[in-house]
Amino acid sequence: MKAIREWLDDRTGYRHLLYEALYENVPGGSRWRYVWGSTLVFTFAVQLITGMFLWMAYSPSSTNAWESVYYIQHEMLLGWMLRGIHHFTAQAMIVLLALHLMQVVIDGAYKAPREINFWLGLILLKIVLGLSLTGYLLPWDQKGYWATKVATNIAGITPVVGDQVQKLAVGGLDYGHHTLTRFFALHAGLLPALLVFFLVLHIYVFRRHGITAPDDEWQGQRDTTFWPDQVLKDGVACLAVLATVLFFVVWHGFNSGSGAELGAPADPAESYSAARPEWYFLFLFQFLKYFPGESEVIGAMVIPGAVVGFMFLMPFTGRWKLGHRFNVLFVFALLAGVGVLTCLAAKEDRANPEYVAAVKAADTNAERVKQLVELNGIGPEGAVHLLRRDAKTQGPKLFATHCGVCHRFDGHDGSGKVPTETATASDLGNFGTRDWIRAMITDPAGDKNFGATKHGSWNGEPLEDRFAGGAMAEWATENVKSGQMKKEEIDGVVEFLIGQAVAGGGRRDLDPPLFDAEATGKEFFASGSDNVTTSCYGCHEMKIDDELFKAGSDAIAAAPDLTGYASEKWLKEFIGNPGDKKFYGKRNAMPAFAGTLTDLELQMLVDWILHRWQEPQK
Amino acid sequence: MTEQTTKEAQTRDAIPRRSFTRRALAVVIGGVTGLVPALVGLASFLNPLRKSVQARQRPDGFDAEGFVKVTRLEALAGESPGRFQIIANRKDAWNTFPKEPIGAVYVQKVSDTELRVFNVECPHAGCSVDYKADKRGFLCPCHNSLFAQTGKRSETSPSPRDLDSLEYKIQDGDVWVKFEKFKAGVKEKHAT
């Protein structure tokens, strides 16, 4: 064994190298306060290792990036943990960088002859921030996408070259495949290579000058060597960092079933009000709020540039005793400023109901897309299409945009917001259910039904009593409110119409009609009874068992054909063209949506109103 | 020994013996901190070896017995075998590609009830073999393995076994094939 070591040492000189690495003199003995640099090297090594393994499963393209990260997270063995460690170690690095910087400035380790090493450290700091920024985009989820859009747009306002810088970063006019390939090459190739290069220089220069021991405190204490005393302290510190990271990973995994957050897939068409940078960039985000209009460049570049520029000059200002004190104060003030801005940003967001709602919606979408992937798998066009074609996700938005102007849905506009304006059409929250039909018979002029139309107008004409005091309302006053129509008859018509909805198809949400009551209802619908003025088909047309019941000759006014009422098909036709003569004809006061909505949109809207969407099987 | 190495050795030896525990601790703690991320990464790297993962990567869209419709019997006229694509739902890590070619077969009619069906992949190294009418056989373009119409390899072929024949059935004039792939380069026919 000894002979082999001799042979190897003779050829390589490894003993000297080991000696240089391990037996550096530590003046005044090993200290806990010297561990920061080592923990940073350690976290970088963790990022290299985990990053390399993530690389083996990651695919940088706009149809595959999110999907491959999803695969790492949910399908690969310990993939969630791998991703979690990479995610949280990145954040640990930022914290450790701040601590390392403070340590260096407080101890005056930036002063001559260590100026160059201080500058190398500042360069390393910028590289690490660059790694964070580029890494944030790679999962190609809504959060990363919109945050990066903001970051690259800010780069775009750089005087003179901004436009070019932005196009080069984005890899073209818009965000897509080449944004990912470029960011990935920066994140996994160029920036780590630069970091290794500057780190080697940093450590070399550090070793050249040795540890900065404040002589007043350290006076008279025994010197030691790096190995094993300081190595042990460094090791314990690294273990503490690792334990902290693992704690966050497991904690996050326990809370959300994943080691690191993965939002819904990036969708340029889907605005994302919850877009925020990673927490350690929040101060910059907040800072920009104070620079109105054209002055943004001052907040985004001039001031941060001046701050970093001053830090580069600190070795010179630190030559004077007061200068050093000023530098220490400056770094503390800077970190305090960053802290205050970060808190302000968080506080403003917490107090902003729209932001809170956006975060909640983002979580809902992230959870929903996971369900959809589990139910359907991911097709060649990528996971974003799962959400784009999902009635549960798109329905509320379509309703809010197209229907919520007049109608309500359980009192809100479909998306959950309660409009301040009064509704001018019915509340469709329970459309086509037993409650809905019953209300239409017993109280058609109620506020949640035709009553709301009193406040509306059509083609500039107020609707007033067109529906609120229309034939149905009159019929109900004469026959139902007066108590003429019997309870069995009402129940019967309800069940009969439910039968129409169920038979018409697409209503999984309804229990099938009660048989006897349905028969009663059918009889009443066609013939009425002695105690009512006219039967339903006096106005409403219907095909029963292939026999067409023409609206009676004494029809008061056009009323909708109730064949297959409130079924998927009926509702689609109705929304498509409510003014058709089989619906409201000339009395109609609702826009036809056949040309406004695409077939897919109409289908999703109808599916949503009828509660038809995919749910995971229990 | 040079003066420098002597000095280095002296420094090394000057470290007190009682620091053994500290040395051991430093090694153990350092080892653990480095191993944790590496082992987690290694676990994910080994993912493709899991049986459950392999099962989910298999194509689907076959009938209950694993057969897929390839062609009509009457399309198999002529001397030479025909080459047909196998269409199924291809699984690729996170993606499912519905109804895509996942491979190809040669089908030759011997009689109305008897066919010859081969996977086009050469059992030697997996290249796709070509049918050569002049040789009345299949030639692999990579290492020149030659197979007769019956699938039998010529004695000089590098291929360790004959072409991989596949199960088939004929139903209502349709030809169905049980498409399988086999491990290349070995004498025995192992489905992968």
Side-chain angles (χ1 to χ4, degrees):
Chain A
M1 200 60 197
K2 192 166 182 253
I4 296 174
R5 277 186 299 196
E6 289 294 341
W7 182 86
L8 199 64
D9 186 44
D10 191 39
R11 268 52 171 194
T12 62
Y14 82 92
R15 275 185 187 154
H16 176 65
L17 196 72
L18 265 183
Y19 176 85
E20 283 291 328
L22 294 176
Y23 297 94
E24 184 212 13
N25 186 47
V26 182
S30 65
R31 299 281 154 179
W32 285 107
R33 59 196 292 180
Y34 298 156
V35 301
W36 303 120
S38 296
T39 57
L40 277 165
V41 174
F42 166 69
T43 49
F44 177 58
V46 170
Q47 294 306 71
L48 277 187
I49 295 168
T50 51
M52 202 63 78
F53 281 113
L54 285 167
W55 192 345
M56 292 190 197
Y58 175 72
S59 174
S61 87
S62 60
T63 45
N64 284 313
W66 185 91
E67 290 74 4
S68 62
V69 175
Y70 179 91
Y71 193 77
I72 294 170
Q73 181 102 304
H74 297 294
E75 301 282 336
M76 293 182 81
L77 189 61
L78 290 187
W80 64 275
M81 199 173 208
L82 180 65
R83 208 181 147 235
I85 294 176
H86 199 73
H87 178 77
F88 284 105
T89 305
Q91 306 185 26
M93 256 180 127
I94 304 288
V95 175
L96 293 169
L97 270 173
L99 292 170
H100 189 47
L101 178 69
M102 275 166 69
Q103 178 70 40
V104 164
V105 174
I106 291 169
D107 280 353
Y110 62 96
K111 290 191 277 193
R114 298 184 176 82
E115 303 96 323
I116 291 189
N117 217 19
F118 181 66
W119 295 333
L120 288 169
L122 289 179
I123 292 170
L124 284 167
L125 173 86
K126 300 206 107 188
I127 295 174
V128 172
L129 291 178
L131 281 164
S132 304
L133 197 75
T134 48
Y136 203 53
L137 174 76
L138 299 182
W140 202 245
D141 58 357
Q142 282 284 72
K143 198 171 147 181
Y145 178 88
W146 291 94
T148 304
K149 211 168 160 168
V150 172
T152 49
N153 276 327
I154 289 171
I157 61 159
T158 314
V160 190
V161 293
D163 212 26
Q164 285 77 6
V165 167
Q166 186 177 8
K167 284 201 181 68
L168 288 176
V170 171
L173 286 177
D174 213 343
Y175 302 79
H177 293 322
H178 268 176
T179 322
L180 277 166
T181 52
R182 282 173 176 242
F183 272 59
F184 187 49
L186 287 174
H187 184 79
L190 187 61
L191 290 173
L194 284 175
L195 197 140
V196 169
F197 176 74
F198 283 103
L199 186 60
V200 167
L201 286 183
H202 191 64
I203 293 173
Y204 166 75
V205 179
F206 161 69
R207 282 298 170 91
R208 182 178 164 84
H209 298 297
I211 283 173
T212 318
D215 22 60
D216 39 350
E217 259 180 77
W218 267 222
Q219 237 7 276
Q221 306 223 23
R222 242 170 57 89
D223 286 8
T224 179
T225 49
F226 181 60
W227 170 262
D229 286 14
Q230 189 60 44
V231 172
L232 180 59
K233 286 198 170 69
D234 288 355
V236 171
C238 294
L239 190 63
V241 171
L242 182 70
T244 312
V245 166
L246 286 178
F247 167 77
F248 277 106
V249 174
V250 173
W251 180 65
H252 197 277
F254 192 74
N255 281 327
S256 65
S258 62
E261 193 180 351
L262 178 63
D267 188 346
E270 204 63 62
S271 65
Y272 185 70
S273 325
R276 292 291 179 271
E278 195 59 294
W279 60 266
Y280 42 79
F281 286 125
L282 265 184
F283 71 98
L284 270 177
F285 164 84
Q286 179 70 14
F287 196 51
L288 289 184
K289 291 184 190 168
Y290 307 115
F291 294 88
E294 300 263 292
S295 64
E296 186 186 6
V297 71
I298 297 173
M301 284 169 205
V302 177
I303 294 177
V307 167
V308 175
F310 175 76
M311 288 176 79
F312 270 88
L313 295 177
M314 272 175 19
F316 303 120
T317 53
R319 282 184 187 170
W320 304 282
K321 190 152 191 173
L322 274 177
H324 173 63
R325 288 199 182 146
F326 178 80
N327 286 343
V328 174
L329 202 67
F330 179 81
V331 168
F332 270 90
L334 186 65
L335 288 176
V338 165
V340 167
L341 284 170
T342 307
C343 289
L344 275 177
K347 203 178 143 210
E348 275 185 30
D349 280 345
R350 261 203 311 276
N352 178 354
E354 279 187 26
Y355 174 79
V356 174
V359 169
K360 202 166 157 246
D363 288 346
T364 310
N365 275 353
E367 188 53 38
R368 180 64 182 160
V369 75
K370 186 165 170 259
Q371 284 177 356
L372 291 171
V373 172
E374 279 162 10
L375 287 164
N376 307 298
I378 301 171
E381 66 287 80
V384 69
H385 285 259
L386 291 172
L387 280 179
R388 285 188 187 155
R389 288 194 216 108
D390 177 37
K392 191 183 184 184
T393 308
Q394 303 304 333
K397 291 181 229 165
L398 289 167
F399 192 94
T401 310
H402 299 287
C403 318
V405 186
C406 305
H407 288 280
R408 295 292 173 266
F409 193 93
D410 290 339
H412 58 80
D413 70 346
S415 71
K417 266 185 234 142
V418 180
T420 46
E421 300 88 9
T422 322
T424 59
S426 51
D427 186 314
L428 297 170
N430 59 356
F431 175 77
T433 61
R434 286 176 167 81
D435 287 346
W436 165 272
I437 296 169
R438 186 175 298 277
M440 268 301 185
I441 296 166
T442 57
D443 187 21
D447 282 346
K448 290 181 122 192
N449 303 316
F450 292 139
T453 60
K454 273 189 289 195
H455 313 290
S457 58
W458 181 246
N459 290 336
E461 269 176 57
L463 289 177
E464 291 173 343
D465 276 344
R466 191 192 292 191
F467 298 97
M472 185 76 210
E474 273 177 29
W475 185 88
T477 313
E478 281 169 31
N479 299 301
V480 186
K481 286 192 179 152
S482 63
Q484 294 284 79
M485 189 174 173
K486 292 191 205 128
K487 188 184 170 293
E488 310 85 87
E489 288 168 344
I490 298 173
D491 292 346
V493 176
V494 169
E495 293 302 316
F496 173 64
L497 287 176
I498 288 291
Q500 287 296 309
V502 171
R507 294 294 310 233
R508 282 174 309 194
D509 57 323
L510 297 176
D511 291 331
L514 301 167
F515 189 75
D516 289 344
E518 189 186 17
T520 313
K522 182 175 171 183
E523 177 66 25
F524 180 90
F525 192 92
S527 319
S529 63
D530 296 342
N531 38 24
V532 296
T533 48
T534 172
S535 68
C536 306
Y537 93 100
C539 302
H540 294 282
E541 249 177 42
M542 182 178 280
K543 210 183 234 178
I544 304 175
D545 307 331
D546 280 338
E547 187 189 341
L548 182 67
F549 284 72
K550 266 268 184 224
S553 52
D554 57 341
I556 308 162
D561 182 336
L562 296 180
T563 315
Y565 176 65
S567 65
E568 177 194 356
K569 183 166 171 279
W570 188 93
L571 186 56
K572 260 167 89 172
E573 282 178 12
F574 184 86
I575 297 174
N577 185 15
D580 189 279
K581 60 180 188 298
K582 68 188 274 200
F583 298 120
Y584 280 114
K586 289 197 176 107
R587 295 174 67 215
N588 177 50
M590 168 175 154
F593 284 95
T596 318
L597 295 169
T598 64
D599 290 350
L600 176 66
E601 284 172 331
L602 180 59
Q603 183 66 51
M604 288 193 294
L605 180 61
V606 166
D607 283 348
W608 181 71
I609 293 174
L610 302 185
H611 305 272
R612 283 160 47 87
W613 57 70
Q614 280 189 305
E615 281 294 341
Q617 274 155 5
K618 299 214 172 78
Chain B
M1 263 186 207
T2 64
E3 200 178 313
Q4 192 198 14
T5 49
T6 321
K7 200 174 136 252
E8 287 180 8
Q10 280 168 355
T11 317
R12 273 200 294 269
D13 297 340
I15 297 168
R17 278 216 176 275
R18 64 179 169 81
S19 73
F20 173 76
T21 356
R22 270 180 278 170
R23 291 185 202 212
L25 261 179
V27 169
V28 170
I29 290 174
V32 168
T33 49
L35 267 180
V36 169
L39 287 179
V40 172
L42 196 66
S44 77
F45 175 72
L46 296 176
N47 194 58
L49 298 182
R50 292 160 80 199
K51 286 274 182 294
S52 60
V53 171
Q54 290 172 9
R56 266 174 288 167
Q57 297 291 316
R58 290 196 188 285
D60 60 25
F62 308 123
D63 75 357
E65 296 159 297
F67 287 81
V68 59
K69 202 193 290 182
V70 166
T71 181
R72 300 274 304 160
L73 193 58
E74 65 247 29
L76 299 172
E79 279 279 284
S80 305
R83 189 183 164 114
F84 300 93
Q85 285 185 334
I86 301 292
I87 306 293
N89 302 327
R90 188 165 70 83
K91 310 285 183 67
D92 185 359
W94 49 87
N95 276 137
T96 300
F97 297 95
K99 296 205 166 59
E100 270 208 354
I102 57 159
V105 291
Y106 282 110
V107 185
Q108 187 180 21
K109 193 163 102 176
V110 180
S111 73
D112 275 347
T113 52
E114 199 193 334
L115 304 176
R116 289 187 191 124
V117 183
F118 301 111
N119 192 324
V120 299
E121 282 184 19
C122 179
H124 176 226
C127 295
S128 176
V129 298
D130 299 320
Y131 181 74
K132 299 285 181 192
D134 55 336
K135 293 196 169 70
R136 293 180 64 82
F138 302 93
L139 180 69
C140 179
C142 293
H143 308 100
N144 300 334
S145 286
L146 186 65
F147 306 88
Q149 279 190 345
T150 57
K152 188 147 183 54
R153 72 196 177 101
S154 78
E155 276 178 22
T156 54
S157 290
S159 174
R161 61 173 191 260
D162 299 341
L163 273 187
D164 295 316
S165 59
L166 298 169
E167 285 179 52
Y168 62 89
K169 61 184 180 186
I170 301 167
Q171 267 174 7
D172 309 324
D174 288 322
V175 177
W176 294 68
V177 170
K178 186 173 184 181
F179 184 72
E180 286 178 293
K181 293 185 178 182
F182 302 92
K183 187 172 165 59
V186 293
K187 199 161 169 43
E188 267 77 48
K189 196 172 150 190
H190 292 299
T192 54

